[in-house]
Amino acid sequence: MALDLLDRKLLFVTGKGGVGKTTVAAGLALLSADRGQRTLVCEVDAKGGLAGFFEATHTGFQPVELQPNLFAMSMDTEESLKEYLSLQLKLPLVARIGPLARTFDFVANAAPGVKEILTVGKLAWEVVERHYDLVVVDAVASGHIVGQLAAPKGINDLVSVGLVRNQTAWMLEVLEDPARTGVVIVAAPEEMPVNETIELAQRLRAETDVDLAAVIVNRVLPELFGRGEEELFDTLRTPERAAALGEAVDGDVGPILDAAELAVTLRRTRAAHLQTLRAGLTDVDLLYLPEVFARSTGLRFTRQVAEALDEELG
Amino acid sequence: MASKEKAAKDKKGKAKVGADAGAVDGDPEEIRTLQQLLAAKEIVISCGSGGVGKTTTAAALAAMAAAHHGGKVLVLTVDPARRLANALGLERFGNTETRVGTEAFTAAGVEPRGELWAAMLDTKQSWDELIVRHAPDARTRDAILSNSIYANISGRFVQSHDYIAMERLYEIHSSGRYDLIVVDTPPTRNAIDFLDAPERMAEFFSSRLLRWLTAPAKNRVLSLASKPFYRVADGILGSQFLEDIAEFFGLFQTLGPGFVERAEAVTRTLSDRRTTFLVVSTLEAAPVREAEYFIRELEARGLHLGAVVLNKVLPAYLRRTATTGVARRLVGDADRAAAAVADGVGDPAAVAAVLREVGESFLNYQVIATREQEQRAELARTPDVVATVPYFDSDIADVTGLLRLGEAIWR
């Protein structure tokens, strides 16, 4: 790879819903921490899924240390605003915004880009201040990420003065520096995620100046059979041979043979989608994350993901 | 104003169709299948987290209802896969309702009793139509439509996407054009937003913020000194931008009464007993957690949870504990087992290698199947109808595929 993913300072991990964004973000963060980097992993879409990957009880706006070098937080635009106001405006009345939160919500919604700025700004701030060696963002889904990353630029066109405007320059400097910031798209070998990945790669280049660092394909199934083995397996599928096998191992092998067929089918359909993905992407690093056959999705699972990423990144 | 009674069509589309229709009047005691549920309802809303197959499930059920129950069925989708959209004859943009040709059903070997229609949700266009409908006069209408902030806001304001989805549903339902509408919901950031959207819209129109924003500038300036919040807003956004927003909302406010009335009507439609919700999920941790959350929220709002649909579920035979031992022996004794069948198959060593791979693969998949089962147990409260969709070996991209999926969950 031209530039190792983990050498950057800020990684936005995005992808279509259900592809395993949080899995990859958690795995990258754990790997980074294991390699001795002080790492922050931030969940933006506050569904509270990130904590489970580290078997932590809860993550909030204030980072919690999960293990040496590894910190986790959840984005909260309101908290981000308060922090920002107290840092920038030295406003003593920040505490009194609380009751007006819902009203502020409307202003933030009405003023395009404000929430995005508060999100991206907080993350870029952590980078500028060098609080961490790497900030990994479990970002919004592919449908929203361009809007979020383009917000600092977009706000310049809408807001002529004011604090927000003054803030965008340094944010863009961080976001548009490929040595510091990169986007990671997580894809799954299925029709919709593949299409969305290809579209998003194009949109990122057309609408932002943020570098697309890598595409990581999640849940790639192993090839079950080597050369010639599938034909051999097919000849085993006669009732007589299945019965003989069953006798030899003292049980019904039917489900086992069915499962092998299922595995081959799943792998085959996914392989076709992978080809589409490869054909649709140009000059992007493509990494493969194998299916993790783990009992649960806790810390052990995350560790396996980190190990697989470690191997892929070399 | 509640939605129009469509007594005329009740007898036609909703009455017992053949001997196979289940509940007739939607008596909840009798609903045990999706077939019965869809026969008893007029609006079905499919929700769940992203990537779980909401769209496909909605389209499959609509196709089944059109095929077997008759009447006019509309599937309103948000973001279908391109091939499925093509199969349904949907353009990428625009709100046009399109009829899916009978030949698509005939190709699947089905003579449909009714009609299947499909439409996409074009957020921007829907907003424009709404403004046109509610603007008090042509000048206000044009001023809003050409307002630069409107362009931005129609894409984002107060979860405008969710609001417009519900608004459009209400509009189509009250038109009485369809016997059944199956709605696919947007993959919202906060899955429940779209249920609150109409209410939030109504709330916004009566909020202090709007009053302040649309007050004459002089009063706004006066209040700046006394209202810390406004000082903050001013400091963050700059006064010129606040002016722009104020101007826009000033225009927007003229739409108020119509909007609020509609929002309330939409909310009523959602809680009407003719509306039901499907929660769609796969058996993975995150979607299941979302599904749980959804079920709780529906309950808290007194909305009708009709069914849970579980997609991409691995087959049950993978969970057989008796097979675990067999697979282990197959791996451990591969050479001996291979000797028993190698005759006429191939080199015993090669056969043994295949048997080992096959045994190990089974054990791997069993881990995932067991993990799925544990997730299923997590779904504490489930409705009477829980449908399970197996893994299909190909993507569903046409009516044939939709009907095949539908068959798997229909009865």
Side-chain angles (χ1 to χ4, degrees):
Chain A
M1 300 189 64
L3 178 71
D4 194 326
L5 268 188
L6 302 181
D7 289 341
R8 303 192 196 219
K9 301 288 165 223
L10 178 59
L11 288 177
F12 289 90
V13 181
T14 183
K16 183 176 163 45
V19 296
K21 278 195 308 284
T22 311
T23 303
V24 172
L28 282 170
L30 186 58
L31 177 61
S32 164
D34 285 347
R35 289 186 180 183
Q37 300 196 103
R38 189 179 157 88
T39 308
L40 172 70
V41 58
C42 173
E43 177 178 54
V44 167
D45 248 349
K47 286 180 179 172
L50 182 68
F53 284 85
F54 298 105
E55 292 170 33
T57 45
H58 170 76
T59 52
F61 187 72
Q62 293 309 323
V64 288
E65 187 162 11
L66 300 170
Q67 60 179 65
N69 276 332
L70 181 58
F71 299 79
M73 67 169 284
S74 295
M75 182 53 66
D76 177 333
T77 44
E78 212 182 307
E79 288 296 321
S80 169
L81 175 71
K82 285 184 189 173
E83 181 177 276
Y84 163 77
L85 291 174
S86 61
L87 286 171
Q88 301 283 333
L89 288 185
K90 311 278 187 279
L91 276 175
L93 48 91
V94 166
R96 292 166 57 189
I97 294 185
L100 284 161
R102 192 145 179 170
T103 312
F104 174 78
D105 218 34
F106 284 123
V107 171
N109 271 316
V114 169
K115 277 198 159 168
E116 285 78 2
I117 289 272
L118 288 169
T119 298
V120 173
K122 163 72 178 171
L123 298 164
W125 175 253
E126 296 296 330
V127 171
V128 168
E129 292 293 297
R130 309 222 169 136
H131 291 157
Y132 302 94
D133 299 312
L134 174 66
V135 177
V136 180
V137 188
D138 176 12
V140 289
S142 38
H144 298 292
I145 189 77
V146 172
Q148 193 159 73
L149 294 174
K153 244 200 176 70
I155 211 113
N156 282 337
D157 308 334
L158 281 162
V159 183
S160 49
V161 291
L163 264 178
V164 174
R165 170 91 198 220
N166 305 342
Q167 292 301 317
T168 51
W170 66 265
M171 283 183 205
L172 287 171
E173 206 173 299
V174 174
L175 289 180
E176 295 175 354
D177 176 3
R180 282 191 285 179
T181 302
V183 175
V184 174
I185 309 178
V186 181
E190 290 168 38
E191 182 189 15
M192 287 286 277
V194 161
N195 292 347
E196 260 189 50
T197 301
I198 294 168
E199 275 171 31
L200 178 59
Q202 291 163 348
R203 282 193 64 200
L204 275 172
R205 285 174 179 165
E207 297 171 44
T208 75
D209 288 316
V210 186
D211 187 48
L212 173 54
V215 169
I216 298 183
V217 189
N218 191 19
R219 307 193 70 173
V220 177
L221 289 170
E223 188 79 78
L224 180 54
F225 295 127
R227 188 185 295 276
E229 288 188 331
E230 197 171 337
E231 291 77 6
L232 196 153
F233 170 75
D234 286 342
T235 54
L236 284 174
R237 292 287 277 159
T238 64
E240 300 77 27
R241 291 199 173 101
L245 272 178
E247 226 153 283
V249 290
D250 188 22
D252 178 12
V253 295
I256 299 172
L257 301 179
D258 287 345
E261 207 148 292
L262 176 74
V264 169
T265 307
L266 286 177
R267 156 94 197 179
R268 190 166 296 145
T269 46
R270 290 186 185 188
H273 295 304
L274 281 180
Q275 274 169 337
T276 313
L277 183 68
R278 275 194 292 267
L281 288 174
T282 45
D283 18 299
V284 182
D285 281 312
L286 206 54
L287 304 172
Y288 299 101
L289 199 55
E291 177 82 52
V292 176
F293 295 105
R295 269 174 216 296
S296 67
T297 47
L299 193 54
R300 268 191 70 228
F301 175 87
T302 310
R303 188 152 295 292
Q304 282 174 287
V305 172
E307 281 162 12
L309 284 165
D310 194 17
E311 253 171 63
E312 274 291 282
L313 291 170
Chain B
M1 193 202 79
S3 95
K4 275 186 297 206
E5 275 302 320
K6 299 189 287 286
K9 64 138 233 225
D10 270 4
K11 296 293 155 278
K12 209 170 43 194
K14 293 285 186 296
K16 213 182 254 288
V17 181
D20 65 347
V24 183
D25 303 318
D27 180 357
E29 295 309 305
E30 292 182 41
I31 293 182
R32 287 282 177 274
T33 62
L34 279 167
Q35 180 184 16
Q36 293 164 339
L37 183 72
L38 266 67
K41 300 291 173 187
E42 291 178 14
I43 296 178
V44 177
I45 299 176
S46 153
C47 38
S49 75
V52 296
K54 273 197 301 273
T55 308
T56 322
T57 304
L61 289 173
M64 288 299 279
H68 302 295
H69 289 168
K72 279 179 79 178
V73 183
L74 173 75
V75 57
L76 182 59
T77 83
V78 179
D79 185 23
R82 201 164 309 143
R83 283 192 298 150
L84 181 62
N86 291 344
L88 296 172
L90 292 171
E91 301 292 330
R92 260 193 100 58
F93 300 104
N95 278 330
T96 331
E97 293 151 37
T98 322
R99 182 169 174 190
V100 180
T102 314
E103 62 280 4
F105 285 85
T106 317
V110 174
E111 270 319 308
R113 288 164 165 267
E115 301 174 6
L116 176 62
W117 290 70
M120 291 259 295
L121 181 78
D122 184 327
T123 307
K124 180 87 181 83
Q125 193 189 336
S126 299
W127 269 105
D128 290 354
E129 285 168 8
L130 201 64
I131 300 294
V132 169
R133 203 177 314 137
H134 289 294
D137 52 63
R139 224 183 47 168
T140 312
R141 179 194 67 203
D142 297 341
I144 292 177
L145 292 178
S146 61
N147 181 296
S148 66
I149 288 182
Y150 168 75
N152 258 300
I153 287 178
S154 57
R156 29 188 336 135
F157 169 63
V158 200
Q159 286 89 28
S160 69
H161 193 88
D162 309 327
Y163 176 78
I164 211 73
M166 293 300 111
E167 161 73 35
R168 179 112 193 274
L169 167 65
Y170 173 77
E171 190 266 317
I172 295 173
H173 180 249
S174 50
S175 77
R177 287 197 296 274
Y178 298 96
D179 299 283
L180 174 69
I181 306 167
V182 186
V183 191
D184 169 30
T185 53
T188 43
R189 290 174 183 197
N190 174 357
I192 214 78
D193 279 350
F194 69 90
L195 294 178
D196 294 337
E199 209 170 319
R200 290 184 63 149
M201 183 62 85
E203 211 173 73
F204 174 75
F205 273 108
S206 58
S207 69
R208 277 193 318 177
L209 171 69
L210 185 66
R211 275 208 301 283
W212 177 76
L213 275 175
T214 53
K218 184 163 51 90
N219 300 355
R220 270 208 303 280
V221 174
L222 285 179
S223 60
L224 279 185
S226 57
K227 300 249 171 29
F229 166 75
Y230 303 136
R231 237 176 75 206
V232 171
D234 200 48
I236 296 164
L237 301 169
S239 42
Q240 180 53 53
F241 187 53
L242 275 183
E243 283 302 316
D244 292 349
I245 290 187
E247 183 196 38
F248 169 74
F249 282 128
L251 292 167
F252 200 66
Q253 203 184 17
T254 60
L255 278 50
F259 251 94
V260 174
E261 205 174 293
R262 292 278 289 199
E264 283 165 356
V266 173
T267 308
R268 269 201 305 278
T269 304
L270 290 181
S271 50
D272 190 297
R273 62 178 191 82
R274 290 167 302 179
T275 302
T276 188
F277 290 81
L278 302 182
V279 173
V280 185
S281 186
T282 56
L283 286 174
E284 286 169 68
V288 165
R289 207 179 34 248
E290 288 283 290
E292 267 288 289
Y293 170 70
F294 243 105
I295 292 169
R296 273 200 314 273
E297 291 290 326
L298 289 171
E299 198 172 29
R301 288 170 168 74
L303 300 169
H304 184 262
L305 171 62
V308 166
V309 178
L310 301 171
N311 270 322
K312 297 188 200 173
V313 177
L314 286 171
Y317 65 75
L318 288 171
R319 297 196 310 270
R320 277 187 212 160
T321 43
T323 313
T324 316
V326 182
R328 284 192 185 135
R329 287 194 289 279
L330 199 57
V331 175
D333 289 346
D335 293 330
R336 204 169 46 77
V341 292
D343 194 21
V345 174
D347 168 40
V351 175
V354 167
L355 293 179
R356 263 191 290 273
E357 284 158 0
V358 164
E360 275 164 7
S361 174
F362 178 88
L363 294 170
N364 275 339
Y365 277 84
Q366 186 164 60
V367 167
I368 297 185
T370 309
R371 192 168 83 197
E372 282 188 352
Q373 206 48 26
E374 281 164 10
Q375 288 298 341
R376 189 171 185 153
E378 292 277 305
L379 279 170
R381 276 187 315 281
T382 50
D384 290 339
V385 185
V386 179
T388 303
V389 184
Y391 252 107
F392 284 110
D393 47 20
S394 59
D395 293 304
I396 290 165
D398 55 17
V399 172
T400 306
L402 289 176
L403 292 170
R404 197 161 64 117
L405 191 161
E407 283 293 342
I409 54 179
W410 192 234
R411 291 178 184 88

Short mmCIF file of all heavy atoms in Angstrom, two decimals, chain B residues 35-73:
data_model
loop_
_atom_site.label_atom_id
_atom_site.label_comp_id
_atom_site.label_asym_id
_atom_site.label_seq_id
_atom_site.Cartn_x
_atom_site.Cartn_y
_atom_site.Cartn_z
N GLN B 35 -50.34 -13.84 5.19
CA GLN B 35 -51.45 -13.86 4.24
C GLN B 35 -52.70 -13.25 4.88
O GLN B 35 -53.36 -12.40 4.29
CB GLN B 35 -51.71 -15.31 3.84
CG GLN B 35 -52.83 -15.47 2.84
CD GLN B 35 -53.10 -16.94 2.55
OE1 GLN B 35 -52.66 -17.82 3.30
NE2 GLN B 35 -53.82 -17.19 1.49
N GLN B 36 -53.00 -13.69 6.11
CA GLN B 36 -54.19 -13.18 6.80
C GLN B 36 -54.01 -11.71 7.18
O GLN B 36 -54.93 -10.90 7.07
CB GLN B 36 -54.44 -14.00 8.07
CG GLN B 36 -54.85 -15.43 7.77
CD GLN B 36 -54.72 -16.33 8.98
OE1 GLN B 36 -53.99 -16.02 9.93
NE2 GLN B 36 -55.42 -17.44 8.96
N LEU B 37 -52.79 -11.37 7.61
CA LEU B 37 -52.53 -9.99 8.02
C LEU B 37 -52.77 -9.02 6.86
O LEU B 37 -53.43 -8.00 7.00
CB LEU B 37 -51.08 -9.87 8.53
CG LEU B 37 -50.68 -8.49 9.06
CD1 LEU B 37 -51.35 -8.23 10.40
CD2 LEU B 37 -49.16 -8.40 9.22
N LEU B 38 -52.23 -9.38 5.69
CA LEU B 38 -52.37 -8.49 4.55
C LEU B 38 -53.80 -8.44 4.02
O LEU B 38 -54.20 -7.46 3.42
CB LEU B 38 -51.41 -8.90 3.42
CG LEU B 38 -50.09 -8.14 3.45
CD1 LEU B 38 -49.26 -8.47 4.66
CD2 LEU B 38 -49.31 -8.38 2.18
N ALA B 39 -54.55 -9.51 4.28
CA ALA B 39 -55.95 -9.50 3.85
C ALA B 39 -56.76 -8.56 4.72
O ALA B 39 -57.80 -8.05 4.33
CB ALA B 39 -56.52 -10.92 3.92
N ALA B 40 -56.26 -8.32 5.95
CA ALA B 40 -57.05 -7.56 6.92
C ALA B 40 -56.68 -6.08 7.00
O ALA B 40 -57.36 -5.32 7.67
CB ALA B 40 -56.89 -8.20 8.29
N LYS B 41 -55.60 -5.68 6.32
CA LYS B 41 -55.12 -4.30 6.50
C LYS B 41 -55.13 -3.51 5.20
O LYS B 41 -55.19 -4.07 4.12
CB LYS B 41 -53.69 -4.33 7.06
CG LYS B 41 -53.57 -5.02 8.41
CD LYS B 41 -54.23 -4.23 9.51
CE LYS B 41 -54.24 -5.03 10.82
NZ LYS B 41 -55.01 -4.35 11.87
N GLU B 42 -55.03 -2.20 5.35
CA GLU B 42 -54.96 -1.33 4.17
C GLU B 42 -53.58 -0.70 4.00
O GLU B 42 -53.21 -0.31 2.91
CB GLU B 42 -56.00 -0.21 4.27
CG GLU B 42 -57.41 -0.73 4.14
CD GLU B 42 -58.44 0.38 4.29
OE1 GLU B 42 -58.07 1.57 4.23
OE2 GLU B 42 -59.62 0.05 4.48
N ILE B 43 -52.87 -0.57 5.13
CA ILE B 43 -51.52 -0.01 5.06
C ILE B 43 -50.57 -0.93 5.84
O ILE B 43 -50.85 -1.28 6.98
CB ILE B 43 -51.44 1.40 5.69
CG1 ILE B 43 -52.31 2.39 4.89
CG2 ILE B 43 -50.01 1.90 5.74
CD1 ILE B 43 -52.32 3.79 5.47
N VAL B 44 -49.49 -1.32 5.20
CA VAL B 44 -48.48 -2.13 5.86
C VAL B 44 -47.17 -1.37 5.75
O VAL B 44 -46.74 -1.02 4.65
CB VAL B 44 -48.34 -3.51 5.19
CG1 VAL B 44 -47.22 -4.32 5.83
CG2 VAL B 44 -49.66 -4.27 5.26
N ILE B 45 -46.54 -1.09 6.89
CA ILE B 45 -45.30 -0.32 6.88
C ILE B 45 -44.16 -1.22 7.33
O ILE B 45 -44.18 -1.80 8.41
CB ILE B 45 -45.41 0.91 7.80
CG1 ILE B 45 -46.55 1.82 7.28
CG2 ILE B 45 -44.09 1.67 7.83
CD1 ILE B 45 -46.83 3.02 8.14
N SER B 46 -43.18 -1.35 6.45
CA SER B 46 -42.07 -2.25 6.70
C SER B 46 -40.89 -1.46 7.26
O SER B 46 -40.41 -0.54 6.63
CB SER B 46 -41.72 -2.93 5.37
OG SER B 46 -40.39 -3.31 5.31
N CYS B 47 -40.47 -1.80 8.48
CA CYS B 47 -39.36 -1.05 9.05
C CYS B 47 -38.28 -1.97 9.63
O CYS B 47 -38.49 -3.15 9.82
CB CYS B 47 -39.84 -0.05 10.09
SG CYS B 47 -41.18 -0.62 11.11
N GLY B 48 -37.14 -1.38 9.91
CA GLY B 48 -36.00 -2.16 10.39
C GLY B 48 -34.73 -1.41 10.04
O GLY B 48 -34.79 -0.37 9.38
N SER B 49 -33.58 -1.90 10.48
CA SER B 49 -32.35 -1.16 10.21
C SER B 49 -31.92 -1.38 8.76
O SER B 49 -32.54 -2.14 8.02
CB SER B 49 -31.25 -1.58 11.19
OG SER B 49 -30.74 -2.83 10.86
N GLY B 50 -30.87 -0.69 8.35
CA GLY B 50 -30.43 -0.76 6.96
C GLY B 50 -29.89 -2.14 6.59
O GLY B 50 -29.33 -2.83 7.43
N GLY B 51 -30.08 -2.51 5.34
CA GLY B 51 -29.45 -3.72 4.84
C GLY B 51 -30.06 -5.03 5.28
O GLY B 51 -29.45 -6.08 5.16
N VAL B 52 -31.30 -4.99 5.79
CA VAL B 52 -31.90 -6.25 6.24
C VAL B 52 -32.92 -6.80 5.24
O VAL B 52 -33.51 -7.85 5.47
CB VAL B 52 -32.59 -6.10 7.62
CG1 VAL B 52 -31.57 -5.76 8.69
CG2 VAL B 52 -33.69 -5.07 7.58
N GLY B 53 -33.13 -6.08 4.16
CA GLY B 53 -34.06 -6.57 3.15
C GLY B 53 -35.46 -6.02 3.29
O GLY B 53 -36.42 -6.67 2.89
N LYS B 54 -35.57 -4.82 3.85
CA LYS B 54 -36.89 -4.19 4.00
C LYS B 54 -37.60 -4.03 2.66
O LYS B 54 -38.76 -4.37 2.52
CB LYS B 54 -36.71 -2.77 4.55
CG LYS B 54 -36.66 -2.64 6.03
CD LYS B 54 -36.89 -1.21 6.44
CE LYS B 54 -35.88 -0.23 5.88
NZ LYS B 54 -34.69 -0.10 6.69
N THR B 55 -36.85 -3.48 1.70
CA THR B 55 -37.45 -3.17 0.40
C THR B 55 -37.94 -4.44 -0.29
O THR B 55 -39.07 -4.49 -0.78
CB THR B 55 -36.40 -2.49 -0.51
OG1 THR B 55 -35.83 -1.40 0.22
CG2 THR B 55 -37.02 -1.99 -1.78
N THR B 56 -37.08 -5.46 -0.32
CA THR B 56 -37.44 -6.70 -0.98
C THR B 56 -38.64 -7.35 -0.30
O THR B 56 -39.54 -7.85 -0.97
CB THR B 56 -36.24 -7.68 -0.93
OG1 THR B 56 -35.05 -6.93 -1.13
CG2 THR B 56 -36.36 -8.72 -2.00
N THR B 57 -38.65 -7.32 1.03
CA THR B 57 -39.76 -7.90 1.77
C THR B 57 -41.06 -7.17 1.44
O THR B 57 -42.09 -7.82 1.18
CB THR B 57 -39.48 -7.84 3.29
OG1 THR B 57 -38.23 -8.49 3.55
CG2 THR B 57 -40.57 -8.52 4.09
N ALA B 58 -41.00 -5.84 1.43
CA ALA B 58 -42.19 -5.06 1.12
C ALA B 58 -42.70 -5.38 -0.28
O ALA B 58 -43.90 -5.61 -0.49
CB ALA B 58 -41.89 -3.57 1.26
N ALA B 59 -41.78 -5.43 -1.23
CA ALA B 59 -42.17 -5.69 -2.62
C ALA B 59 -42.72 -7.11 -2.77
O ALA B 59 -43.69 -7.34 -3.50
CB ALA B 59 -40.98 -5.48 -3.54
N ALA B 60 -42.11 -8.07 -2.07
CA ALA B 60 -42.55 -9.46 -2.16
C ALA B 60 -43.97 -9.61 -1.62
O ALA B 60 -44.81 -10.29 -2.22
CB ALA B 60 -41.59 -10.38 -1.40
N LEU B 61 -44.24 -8.96 -0.51
CA LEU B 61 -45.58 -9.08 0.08
C LEU B 61 -46.63 -8.38 -0.79
O LEU B 61 -47.75 -8.87 -0.95
CB LEU B 61 -45.59 -8.51 1.51
CG LEU B 61 -44.83 -9.40 2.51
CD1 LEU B 61 -44.72 -8.70 3.86
CD2 LEU B 61 -45.52 -10.75 2.68
N ALA B 62 -46.24 -7.26 -1.37
CA ALA B 62 -47.17 -6.56 -2.26
C ALA B 62 -47.48 -7.43 -3.48
O ALA B 62 -48.64 -7.54 -3.90
CB ALA B 62 -46.56 -5.22 -2.70
N ALA B 63 -46.44 -8.09 -4.02
CA ALA B 63 -46.64 -8.95 -5.18
C ALA B 63 -47.56 -10.13 -4.83
O ALA B 63 -48.44 -10.49 -5.61
CB ALA B 63 -45.29 -9.46 -5.69
N MET B 64 -47.36 -10.69 -3.64
CA MET B 64 -48.20 -11.82 -3.20
C MET B 64 -49.65 -11.37 -3.04
O MET B 64 -50.58 -12.08 -3.44
CB MET B 64 -47.68 -12.38 -1.88
CG MET B 64 -46.39 -13.15 -1.99
SD MET B 64 -46.47 -14.61 -3.05
CE MET B 64 -47.22 -15.79 -1.92
N ALA B 65 -49.84 -10.20 -2.43
CA ALA B 65 -51.20 -9.71 -2.21
C ALA B 65 -51.89 -9.45 -3.56
O ALA B 65 -53.06 -9.79 -3.74
CB ALA B 65 -51.17 -8.45 -1.36
N ALA B 66 -51.14 -8.87 -4.50
CA ALA B 66 -51.72 -8.60 -5.81
C ALA B 66 -52.07 -9.91 -6.51
O ALA B 66 -53.10 -10.03 -7.17
CB ALA B 66 -50.75 -7.79 -6.66
N ALA B 67 -51.21 -10.91 -6.34
CA ALA B 67 -51.43 -12.18 -7.02
C ALA B 67 -52.60 -12.96 -6.43
O ALA B 67 -53.40 -13.52 -7.15
CB ALA B 67 -50.15 -13.03 -6.96
N HIS B 68 -52.70 -12.98 -5.10
CA HIS B 68 -53.65 -13.90 -4.46
C HIS B 68 -54.88 -13.24 -3.85
O HIS B 68 -55.92 -13.87 -3.75
CB HIS B 68 -52.92 -14.72 -3.40
CG HIS B 68 -51.78 -15.51 -3.96
ND1 HIS B 68 -51.95 -16.53 -4.87
CD2 HIS B 68 -50.44 -15.39 -3.78
CE1 HIS B 68 -50.76 -17.03 -5.21
NE2 HIS B 68 -49.82 -16.35 -4.56
N HIS B 69 -54.77 -11.99 -3.41
CA HIS B 69 -55.94 -11.35 -2.79
C HIS B 69 -56.74 -10.51 -3.77
O HIS B 69 -57.88 -10.17 -3.50
CB HIS B 69 -55.50 -10.45 -1.63
CG HIS B 69 -55.03 -11.21 -0.43
ND1 HIS B 69 -54.37 -10.61 0.61
CD2 HIS B 69 -55.11 -12.52 -0.12
CE1 HIS B 69 -54.06 -11.53 1.51
NE2 HIS B 69 -54.50 -12.69 1.09
N GLY B 70 -56.11 -10.13 -4.85
CA GLY B 70 -56.81 -9.27 -5.80
C GLY B 70 -56.80 -7.82 -5.36
O GLY B 70 -56.13 -7.45 -4.40
N GLY B 71 -57.54 -7.01 -6.07
CA GLY B 71 -57.57 -5.58 -5.77
C GLY B 71 -56.33 -4.87 -6.32
O GLY B 71 -55.52 -5.47 -7.02
N LYS B 72 -56.23 -3.59 -5.99
CA LYS B 72 -55.06 -2.83 -6.44
C LYS B 72 -54.09 -2.69 -5.28
O LYS B 72 -54.46 -2.20 -4.21
CB LYS B 72 -55.48 -1.44 -6.94
CG LYS B 72 -56.02 -1.46 -8.36
CD LYS B 72 -56.45 -0.07 -8.80
CE LYS B 72 -55.25 0.79 -9.20
NZ LYS B 72 -55.67 2.13 -9.67
N VAL B 73 -52.86 -3.13 -5.49
CA VAL B 73 -51.85 -3.09 -4.44
C VAL B 73 -50.70 -2.19 -4.89
O VAL B 73 -50.20 -2.33 -6.00
CB VAL B 73 -51.31 -4.51 -4.14
CG1 VAL B 73 -50.31 -4.46 -3.00
CG2 VAL B 73 -52.46 -5.46 -3.82
#
